[in-house]
Amino acid sequence: MEVTGHMPAQDAPRARSASIWDVARVAGVSQQTVSRVINGKARVSEATRARVLQVIAELGYRPNRLAQALAGGPVRSVTVLTSDTALYGAAATLRGMEEAARTAGFSVGISVLERTSGQADIALRLNRPGEAVMVIAFDDAGVRALRALPADVPVAAAVERRPDDGPDDPWQVWLDDRAAAAHATRYLLGLGHRTVHYVAIPSSTSALPQRTQGWQDALRAAGRPVPEPLPGGWSPRSGYLAVRSLLADRSVTAVLCGNDDLALGVMRAAREAGRDIPGDLSVVGFDDSPPSAYLNPSLTTVRLDFEGLGRACFGLLHRRLDPQNAPAVPAWSEPELIVRESSGPAPA
Amino acid sequence: MEVTGHMPAQDAPRARSASIWDVARVAGVSQQTVSRVINGKARVSEATRARVLQVIAELGYRPNRLAQALAGGPVRSVTVLTSDTALYGAAATLRGMEEAARTAGFSVGISVLERTSGQADIALRLNRPGEAVMVIAFDDAGVRALRALPADVPVAAAVERRPDDGPDDPWQVWLDDRAAAAHATRYLLGLGHRTVHYVAIPSSTSALPQRTQGWQDALRAAGRPVPEPLPGGWSPRSGYLAVRSLLADRSVTAVLCGNDDLALGVMRAAREAGRDIPGDLSVVGFDDSPPSAYLNPSLTTVRLDFEGLGRACFGLLHRRLDPQNAPAVPAWSEPELIVRESSGPAPA
DNA sequence: GTAGGTGATGTTATCGGTCACATTCGTTCT
DNA sequence: AGAACGAATGTGACCGATAACATCACCTAC
């Protein structure tokens, strides 16, 4: 066998782990053949394949992802762009994405967006131009990041709402927040509440958030008064502050919250205002975050399948990267109202 | 200029983004000089440097991380191995790690450990041999992963407890759970409780968890009876189940919990048993997870600086990778008991 | 005046793969 | 039997960088 310039020095002390060359040499084939075996693309005789596979096992060889990617191999890594992973929705979506990606043999990177992340900043988070990306765009920072991504990066996104301007982007997934909010609102009206107040999470776009719209839809459809939505943030504290003054008004008997954390704050405000839940006041949350079932009172809330959404988002990306071989995009569950102790009939 | 074999074809349509060669050509220098400017290592004349930097800006050139890594450049990426990011401690630690790493110019990967992840599995999660790793080893899966890592990978870990067997690993950080648990226990004893029961989180090792030990330390030091620790899991449900039967016994007046989720379950069990918190029963948690302050009653708990721990863990790794230039490892806060509504004087 | 040192820069090998194309060889077709 | 064909495999360029070594001009020192 000739020693070409590309061959690793035979005499140099080898601290590195096995490369494709080592496998090729031991198996007595060219490195290209090894590459073929690894990728299973081109045809290799059964005998050769078996021998190569055996050598691979013996040497404990594993392809270097970096080299594969650099050489223009198939994309096998994704970076997830997300803001505040402290929020249940984002964290659960991330879990779903990571699980699906890892299962499919992808390595996943994560990069948390700061509120101030500018457009220039976004490109810096990619390891190389063209790297695949998933964006969790439930809030403003995420949406901005999604928009700031160069056109040539393959991206899939989990979004709060489909953008109503411009053509539909087929590489997005979302939950039907609007219908879910409407459903929850109808549920409360069905309990005899005259109307329902709403504490909103911040919008991801300039438009009205889906949950807010759904709530309005239901009130309007039922011909009920539509109170001004109360602007909240993401935290219990912001929910607490949003309704603090409102709760003195005993005619307020039902509050729908944009997420469970807000509901937590609302329930505390209610306690301090001397309102009884659910006797005096019904509170309904959104998300079904883990503690909800164990709160006092336990929280009626809309369960959202964030993990499923995350898995689907990856499924979408996978199909975008490899339309031929990627499996079908898995379905995710519809939002579901989970009735617990915090909601009940309107006071007489 | 001669066209060597390594030069990109001049005539081929260029879809790719600028490489170091493009910069070199436009600036009229060799690519090596560009590399020097980028890395700032070797000396380059001021004039040349300025010209190259300008061309870089003009072309919007950014070095390809993959290529840098492959070519043996400095390590600029970390993979975090963690189990269940649904748990507050792991999630917060991850946040701290990611923030610190990103700030330092590292890209961070994440790989979630399944309960069943075997040793072979671990190696598969690395993009290349020798890749830097951080492990969140608060539980069994994390500790196993830490142990399964090949000796040659640069790793830093956030652990529940320093291993008592074998020499101290200088590349680990931890919180003083033991002292914190002892402190919380003493606090409860100081309120007049005869003894304190403890609902334990699963241990990360075969030894007694730090929190359990601290609790025992305090009881023993005070000469109080040491009840059998109640084995719990990580979830509210497991806390609920662990104490369900116990709470019928009115002599049980104080319960310390291994985390806030367990405390949530305990509080629900107390409610169902007709116990009043804090009148009848004091409950203290661990972690100070975000909802704690807004629970009903709000939860007395031990605040742990997981984010700081995560940042410190990265700091440690950074020093390990680059002892010369890495900044000092940032300090993190000591555990702190946050007294809220769920704890009070022992019933008369 | 010439050897030796130093700063600035170019050249070549290399990292660990993939891709496009060339080559080999047993078969089948005419 | 000769050509054409396709399966199996090898060869060399290339991805985008870094590292080691070579070069070159200029200056200082003996």
Side-chain angles (χ1 to χ4, degrees), chain A residues 5 16 20 31-32 35 39 64:
Chain A
R16 291 189 302 281
I20 201 173
Q31 41 88 13
Q32 180 59 228
S35 173
N39 298 303
N64 181 321

Side-chain angles (χ1 to χ4, degrees), chain A residues 62-63 65-66 76-77 98-99 101-103 105-109, chain B residues 78-84 109-135 141 144-146 148-150 153:
Chain A
R62 290 198 327 101
R65 286 285 180 74
L66 270 49
R76 289 217 167 297
S77 67
E98 194 277 342
E99 187 205 315
R102 174 161 40 78
T103 303
F106 280 60
S107 62
V108 4
Chain B
V78 210
T79 295
V80 179
L81 261 36
T82 178
S83 52
D84 204 351
I110 177 183
S111 189
V112 174
L113 304 162
E114 307 286 347
R115 304 230 165 282
T116 58
S117 311
Q119 178 159 348
D121 204 22
I122 301 302
L124 296 178
R125 297 164 185 271
L126 275 41
N127 284 324
R128 59 156 190 179
E131 163 145 307
V133 169
M134 286 191 280
V135 182
R144 283 208 320 272
L146 186 53
L149 280 173
V153 321

Side-chain angles (χ1 to χ4, degrees), chain A residues 47-348:
Chain A
T48 309
R49 169 190 311 282
R51 184 152 33 90
V52 169
L53 285 177
Q54 194 196 326
V55 173
I56 284 178
E58 280 171 8
L59 268 49
Y61 164 79
R62 290 198 327 101
N64 181 321
R65 286 285 180 74
L66 270 49
Q68 287 184 313
L70 181 58
V75 179
R76 289 217 167 297
S77 67
V78 210
T79 296
V80 179
L81 261 35
T82 177
S83 52
D84 204 350
T85 53
L87 296 174
Y88 171 69
T93 306
L94 175 61
R95 274 209 305 283
M97 289 174 167
E98 194 277 342
E99 187 205 315
R102 174 161 40 78
T103 303
F106 280 60
S107 62
V108 4
I110 176 183
S111 190
V112 174
L113 304 163
E114 307 286 348
R115 305 228 166 283
T116 58
S117 309
Q119 177 160 349
D121 205 21
I122 300 301
L124 296 178
R125 297 165 185 269
L126 275 40
N127 285 324
R128 61 158 189 173
E131 162 146 308
V133 169
M134 286 189 280
V135 183
I136 301 179
F138 296 151
D139 64 358
D140 179 52
V143 170
R144 282 208 321 271
L146 185 53
R147 208 168 284 146
L149 280 173
D152 62 331
V153 320
V155 56
V159 300
E160 182 231 332
R161 60 175 292 138
R162 176 168 31 179
D164 16 35
D165 49 348
D168 249 26
D169 182 338
W171 305 112
Q172 299 189 344
V173 290
W174 60 88
L175 296 164
D176 197 349
D177 284 7
R178 187 168 180 169
H183 182 75
T185 305
R186 279 195 302 272
Y187 158 76
L188 284 167
L189 294 179
L191 285 171
H193 297 276
R194 186 174 144 271
T195 188
V196 174
H197 285 71
Y198 179 66
V199 184
I201 51 175
S203 173
S204 68
T205 66
S206 55
L208 230 45
Q210 292 289 292
R211 298 180 189 181
T212 306
Q213 288 198 1
W215 160 75
Q216 289 185 348
D217 291 347
L219 289 183
R220 293 214 173 97
R224 304 306 171 84
V226 180
E228 194 65 21
L230 301 156
W234 299 100
S235 67
R237 178 178 167 73
S238 70
Y240 173 80
L241 294 175
V243 299
R244 199 178 187 177
S245 55
L246 183 75
L247 293 184
D249 179 355
R250 311 289 292 195
S251 76
V252 174
T253 63
V255 177
L256 177 64
C257 302
N259 74 21
D260 287 351
D261 282 334
L262 289 173
L264 202 51
V266 168
M267 292 203 294
R268 165 152 286 258
R271 221 177 313 145
E272 291 185 2
R275 309 282 306 259
D276 176 56
I277 301 176
D280 270 340
L281 179 73
S282 288
V283 176
V284 173
F286 231 103
D287 287 359
D288 193 30
S289 64
S292 303
Y294 285 84
L295 297 178
N296 179 20
S298 62
L299 184 65
T300 295
T301 186
V302 177
R303 176 174 297 168
L304 298 179
D305 185 13
F306 287 114
E307 294 206 17
L309 189 72
R311 283 190 291 267
C313 186
F314 173 78
L316 218 52
L317 180 71
H318 201 176
R319 288 203 75 80
R320 182 167 189 176
L321 292 173
D322 184 3
Q324 310 298 322
N325 307 309
V329 176
W332 62 98
S333 308
E334 291 299 309
E336 179 188 4
L337 182 68
I338 308 289
V339 176
R340 299 206 183 94
E341 300 165 353
S342 69
S343 57

